[in-house]
Amino acid sequence: MLVTNQENLDITRARGFSLQGIDTKNRKKAVRMGPEDRVLYYVSDKKGFAATATVTSESFEDHEPIWKHHREKETFPHRVEIDPDVVLEEADYVDGYQVGPTLEYVKKWSPDLWPLAFFGMLHIIPQRDFNFVEGELRRVNGDAPLPPKPAREQKEVVAVANGSVPSAFEMAVEKHRSKRRFLVSSKSRKSSHRRRNKRHR
């Protein structure tokens, strides 16, 4: 999720939602952005969700002044190319006061303090939150809801999750079973040894 203000969102909109810059404070997160990453726009001075976009390039650095900041040296140099997905007009923004407190991302804050969770420009939010807010944006925009993934694709995801590489939990269970089999086997050998001794007496 990208937190911006109305002035800078208007600049991004005027450029056709083709480019997005991230401030220097969020460099570590920004440089990890790449193609197919999704961006949800939250407008802090309007307390509303405004748009979603898809990243179409790797992160790169450019200091050309485009967006505004109270510190003149801040040029939002960490940038990615983007394509717009859902874009609302200012009057139609999804109300943050209605949606914000319901998000998983803000659960550690009390409902009346949820805006504190949005301090800073770039946030990595749960996929569930993104899908929910984008669904609201699409509803307001009159777009059809996104179709569910076909069952075949879901099975492929499960197959990857349950692939040939065992998880740490599975390895721990197998280790416990092996240890138990060893103990049972040891007891069996001891019992057999005692029976043989009795026969020889």
Side-chain angles (χ1 to χ4, degrees), residues 164-176:
S164 59
V165 180
S167 67
F169 174 75
E170 291 170 333
M171 293 175 68
V173 170
E174 182 59 29
K175 183 177 180 180
H176 175 74

Side-chain angles (χ1 to χ4, degrees), residues 37-195:
D37 284 347
R38 306 295 311 286
V39 181
L40 170 65
Y41 284 85
Y42 176 75
V43 185
S44 58
D45 51 336
K46 301 298 180 180
K47 295 294 187 293
F49 296 94
T52 60
T54 300
V55 177
T56 60
S57 75
E58 299 292 341
S59 174
F60 61 94
E61 190 167 331
D62 185 358
H63 291 270
E64 177 192 356
I66 296 177
W67 298 274
K68 307 296 184 181
H69 196 278
H70 63 273
R71 289 188 292 107
E72 291 185 3
K73 291 184 178 180
E74 180 59 73
T75 59
F76 303 90
H78 307 291
R79 302 178 181 182
V80 288
E81 296 174 357
I82 58 175
D83 273 342
D85 293 312
V86 186
V87 180
L88 300 183
E89 296 297 330
E90 182 179 342
D92 297 327
Y93 290 170
V94 172
D95 188 356
Y97 283 103
Q98 294 293 324
V99 173
T102 70
L103 301 180
E104 182 180 339
Y105 185 69
V106 306
K107 289 302 183 184
K108 66 179 180 180
W109 302 95
S110 60
D112 57 320
L113 296 178
W114 67 267
L116 296 178
F118 291 178
F119 277 7
M121 186 174 187
L122 198 60
H123 302 260
I124 301 174
I125 66 174
Q127 185 70 48
R128 179 180 177 182
D129 287 350
F130 184 97
N131 291 343
F132 172 68
V133 178
E134 185 176 45
E136 289 298 296
L137 293 172
R138 294 180 66 85
R139 181 184 62 79
V140 172
N141 204 40
D143 297 336
L146 293 175
K149 290 183 178 180
R152 182 174 59 82
E153 292 186 11
Q154 294 175 355
K155 288 180 180 178
E156 288 176 356
V157 172
V158 173
V160 172
N162 296 325
S164 59
V165 180
S167 67
F169 174 75
E170 291 170 333
M171 293 175 68
V173 170
E174 182 59 29
K175 183 177 180 180
H176 175 74
R177 287 174 176 171
S178 298
K179 184 177 180 181
R180 186 173 181 181
R181 285 196 296 267
F182 175 77
L183 291 174
V184 171
S185 178
S186 297
K187 289 180 180 179
S188 299
R189 287 197 298 270
K190 289 179 180 178
S191 298
S192 177
H193 180 70
R194 284 196 295 268
R195 286 196 298 271

